[in-house]
Amino acid sequence: MAFNTGAALLDALVLSTAAREPTYGYRITQDVRQIMVVSESTLYPVLRRLQKEGYLETYDQEFAGRNRRYYRLTEPGGEALEQYRADWIDYKTKIDAMLLGEGEAQ
């Protein structure tokens, strides 16, 4: 069974992947696919939007005779990621409380 995941979770996963090290779109897709089903056609608009919002910056580097676009987290992107992480902890605590009977849902 798969649970519905929203755009905010996808944004958080992309930013988290880019926070580890500068990386390219296909690699980000592969990393995110370990968590949820996502296609490259879904991911690239997310990357462009996060770049436009100033959360990611890009640079091109040659790889195997062609250019590869790398994505790197910016300072505002790091701040957004920290907020996503805080929100996730709160959300997860509430879900665990309801679904697993852990703690109390507030």
Side-chain angles (χ1 to χ4, degrees):
M1 170 182 239
F3 293 95
N4 186 18
T5 53
L9 180 57
L10 183 55
D11 289 358
L13 292 173
V14 168
L15 292 175
S16 181
T17 300
R20 286 180 275 178
E21 63 182 337
T23 189
Y24 51 97
Y26 180 76
R27 175 75 183 265
I28 294 171
T29 302
Q30 297 308 306
D31 289 349
V32 172
R33 280 184 179 160
Q34 293 178 28
I35 307 298
M36 61 193 287
V37 177
V38 63
S39 67
E40 289 179 48
S41 63
T42 299
L43 186 71
Y44 281 98
V46 172
L47 289 168
R48 283 191 296 275
R49 181 176 46 76
L50 292 172
Q51 182 183 359
K52 185 176 180 182
E53 291 173 357
Y55 295 159
L56 294 173
E57 59 187 14
T58 63
Y59 63 93
D60 292 339
Q61 187 171 327
E62 186 178 333
F63 178 80
R66 62 185 191 105
N67 260 352
R68 180 181 276 174
R69 176 152 295 167
Y70 283 81
Y71 296 86
R72 155 174 61 217
L73 195 67
T74 63
E75 187 174 329
E79 292 167 5
L81 178 58
E82 288 306 311
Q83 184 61 55
Y84 279 127
R85 287 175 173 165
D87 291 347
W88 174 256
I89 290 168
D90 182 53
Y91 180 73
K92 181 185 177 306
T93 299
K94 290 176 182 176
I95 294 294
D96 285 349
M98 181 170 274
L99 191 61
L100 304 175
E102 297 178 3
E104 292 185 32
Q106 298 178 12

